[in-house]
Amino acid sequence: MDRKGKSLFETVWTRMDRKAGAVIELTIRQLMHRISTWVVLGVGALLMALLLIFYIDSVRESFEPIDNDGDSEDNDGDGYPMGQERKYGTPDWDSDLFPGASVFILESDIDWNDADRSEFGNKSWEGSAFFEASWVDDQYAGEWWDSHVDWKLNQEGIPELTDCSDWELEEILDAIRADACDLGDDDGDGMTTYYVAGKWRGEGIATVPDNYYLSWGFWTEEVYVEPEPPEMYINEDGIDCFDAFILRGPGWEDSRVDCPSEARISGSHGFDDDGDCLAANEGNGDDDNGNGIRCDVQWIASNGVVTRIEADDLVDEDPDEQEYIGELGHRTFVIAVGKMAFVILLGLFIPLFLSLGLVRDETENGTLHLLLSKPIHRAEFIIYRLTGYLAISGSYVIVLSLIVGLISSILGPGDQLIRISDIPVWIGIGAATTLVLAAYGSMFNAMGLISPKYGVYLCIVFGIWEFMMGSFSILNPNWTVASVSISHWALQMIDAVVLLAWPDTIQWAEMDRAFEIDSGLSVFWQPPVHTLGTASAGIALLNSLAVLLLVSVAWIFIAKSVFSRREIM
Amino acid sequence: MTMEQQDPPAVLIDQASKWYGQVIGINDLSLAIDGGVTGVLGPNGAGKSTLFKLMMGRIRPSQGSVRLFGVDPWKNTSPYRRVGYVSESEKLYEWMTALDFVTTLARLHGMTREEATERSAHVLEFVGLTDVMHKELGKFSKGMRQRVKIAHALVHNPDLLILDEPLHGCDPLARTSIMSVIRELGKQGKTILISSHILEEIERITEQIVILHNGRLLAIGNLHAIRGLLDKHPHRILINCEDPRSLANLFVTEEPVFGVRFPGEGQLEIQTNDLSAAHAVLPSIVVSSNQKITSIENPDDNLDSLLGYLIKEGS
């Protein structure tokens, strides 16, 4: 009970509550009766629906496993993927050479200056020799390409070659190239001697002329090697994280941890799982990061947070899309939608349509007389009107952000039904947008009061400034000029909330950049700037919150000063 | 109009002036009003609306002071708890029902929703709109709209009611209805200020009037007293009849009549210095003339001639 014996319910504060309730309710109902309100809110919902469709589409594509290094392809058409051919040491540009294919094993040779210049046996030969043959293989095509001798066998299986039995030695050596000629059975043992220069297979005695060369060996049996499915060579070189102290030694597989690593340790991580970096010649891009270790990934941490990742070429170059690109793409979508669609677009357009005329229109419509003839102070009136506007616009963006958040967190990567860790981020986005709506709302309302006629143009100019500063702020939050904008602080708030809800986002952004995944995360998100030197996301969040509230209050105060002095005709 | 009460008067204006650039709205006006129905008369542009806007804290006096119940309404909204105001503005929230509208505005006085609804239904009944209180205001006639505005001004049972041209643009039926509402309120002992530029309207409601002209207070007091002054002023009575000349013969013998004129066909103009006396003899002469009279008009019995007279007297 107060001095006048009135109950607590009848005190000034309670009456103020009731007045506030009445003006807020009136404002909400007025706004709901305007078509422009529904148009702007409808367009906002439509925009979000389109973004979700775009997300669903891109999620389907990006989660599809992608062969980032292209080694699942079979370029020579021999049925074996490039990765398998690399493993077996066969090239992927020759269909004759494939895993399990027959290969030539060199046994020995007669060099130009060897003393012993004869060799007997059933072999594959290459070079120049007088060959006293007991058998030749006219189908021989064992080695690659050229210089195979054509024996021109007749129907009885006897070679029909040029007769060179009466030629001079010099003449024979000059004339016969990749060919053979018949010298006849010069020693009468029943076996014909041929001069052969090229590649052939046969059994007999090979006698190499002085200063000529002959090598021989055999072809292995061809074995069947099961072609591996191309899918084996997709996502086969993922991003690895190791315990820094057990690198590459025995048991390194056991020291693997999820990336980004919980331990977030700096040092040499990464392993060339598919061996393509190690297979490259030494010094040829196998130590791009220059840490003295071939084919690894260097993680650099500061205060227990990985701030830079430097990878050697062809290491961890084919990560699992579901695991990495999916996660990166999802976070990029959430942050980009939060910043661009919610803060910048909805944050600017809703107040432009809803708050500019909050008080000004009452004056112009002539209905202000009705309200101001009641015991309500003009400043109170502004605050209640803005509260009514915020009740509509704020609940709209919070509900919209939760709907978009819920759908995207169901569709997003991960085994769980809903990505619970997304929810705080979406709540943060809703809250940041609401604060932006409050700041722009109070500012646009003030501009409508300062200049009822030209206020809209002032707001448009200001909106363009905010849009530009917001865009610059996304790309480079360190740019000082951008901090003279409301959007900058709201975007900072989202950056801070993201880091609080997903503390490993710094690593993800670094991985995105280092492994050239190009999801855009490192473009749309950077660690919050205004941490007062603490590098704490919490401080950044409080800072942004304080600035946005302060701006709102300042504009309410400006509007109040203008409105209180205004004479209403 | 009494100033001897302990409580500050409902309205106290002390040497207030208001200029809009070069244009004078109110010029050095002093006024105290407390209790009863007071008509504020003046032609368009006399300063009636400026006076009301000053009282309602819409505008600030360029000079002097304005107090409602002892408080400056420009700086403090507390007097509005005891004031009901009907502005000249026609605009209402067209999409609201009458009950909704009055209830919403009642809640601005700090009433609960239930309390406001109950009070609103009551005042709508008082102004005779119970039947249509659930109808949208957009569908209301001019007279109904004025009554809704009066209802919203009455909903918190104010001590002072300020009505800016409440009869403006209303049809005769609506006027009668609104006038009876105002008379009833006057009987209830409220202080009521009602502005108009039509003398007859005010005359039917109150005898206590304030006359404004060019922003100045021209006269204040009882309408009869002012009218008495007016009666001493040469007046004309215009009679439309079948035979003006025979009727003129009957009039010239009467004392209050000092001259006659025939301004048009079938028209007789009687000139008098005592309008009341002339009107007193008029019925018997008309009867004795035994001819058909189509109309009797007092072309000088209006605000303009009253003002003209007062201005002349004042100068």
Side-chain angles (χ1 to χ4, degrees), chain A residues 61 75 101 114 150 154 210 254 312 354 568:
Chain A
E61 275 179 19
N75 293 312
D114 282 348
D150 182 3
N154 63 15
D210 285 343
D254 298 333
D312 290 340
L354 267 58
I568 297 157

Side-chain angles (χ1 to χ4, degrees), chain B residues 138-208:
Chain B
K139 294 172 184 160
F140 274 30
S141 70
K142 181 113 184 170
M144 288 158 86
R145 293 164 77 87
Q146 288 292 12
R147 279 187 279 164
V148 170
K149 280 160 68 180
I150 293 171
H152 105 71
L154 286 175
V155 75
H156 54 296
N157 195 20
D159 297 324
L160 169 65
L161 195 60
I162 300 174
L163 307 159
D164 197 357
E165 302 270 6
L167 304 170
H168 181 67
C170 292
D171 58 57
L173 209 63
R175 276 167 197 250
T176 311
S177 158
I178 292 169
M179 282 178 196
S180 68
V181 165
I182 296 167
R183 269 197 300 270
E184 178 59 32
L185 288 169
K187 278 183 204 158
Q188 289 177 10
K190 295 191 187 303
T191 307
I192 300 173
L193 274 171
I194 173 168
S195 78
S196 177
H197 58 278
I198 299 163
L199 185 62
E200 292 87 343
E201 283 179 1
I202 297 296
E203 199 175 6
R204 285 168 64 186
I205 301 169
T206 180
E207 294 189 343
Q208 184 174 302

Side-chain angles (χ1 to χ4, degrees), chain A residues 171-319:
Chain A
E171 199 180 344
I172 293 170
L173 295 177
D174 279 351
I176 303 303
R177 295 264 195 281
D179 203 357
C181 67
D182 193 344
L183 289 160
D185 182 10
D186 52 351
D187 56 359
D189 60 359
M191 291 196 291
T192 308
T193 300
Y194 304 96
Y195 175 73
V196 197
K199 291 171 187 164
W200 77 99
R201 184 158 67 180
E203 186 177 354
I205 303 164
T207 305
V208 184
D210 285 343
N211 298 321
Y212 280 75
Y213 170 84
L214 180 70
S215 67
W216 61 88
F218 63 91
W219 285 86
T220 59
E221 273 297 304
E222 184 175 313
V223 291
Y224 177 70
V225 174
E226 181 85 35
E228 289 170 343
E231 299 81 64
M232 254 186 78
Y233 293 93
I234 298 174
N235 301 343
E236 84 288 4
D237 193 356
I239 299 166
D240 310 296
C241 293
F242 299 93
D243 186 315
F245 301 104
I246 323 174
L247 268 178
R248 298 182 192 286
W252 64 268
E253 280 283 357
D254 298 333
S255 72
R256 273 172 186 258
V257 289
D258 285 340
C259 281
S261 159
E262 277 292 314
R264 293 174 198 142
I265 36 172
S266 54
S268 174
H269 293 246
F271 187 78
D272 183 23
D273 303 68
D274 57 352
D276 49 2
C277 175
L278 291 163
N281 292 330
E282 200 161 333
N284 190 13
D286 59 354
D287 188 16
D288 293 304
N289 57 24
N291 66 346
I293 300 170
R294 290 187 67 202
C295 300
D296 78 330
V297 177
Q298 181 76 20
W299 292 53
I300 295 147
S302 164
N303 295 328
V305 175
V306 174
T307 53
R308 211 162 76 245
I309 299 172
E310 292 170 353
D312 290 340
D313 192 27
L314 289 179
V315 182
D316 298 355
E317 83 286 7
D318 195 0

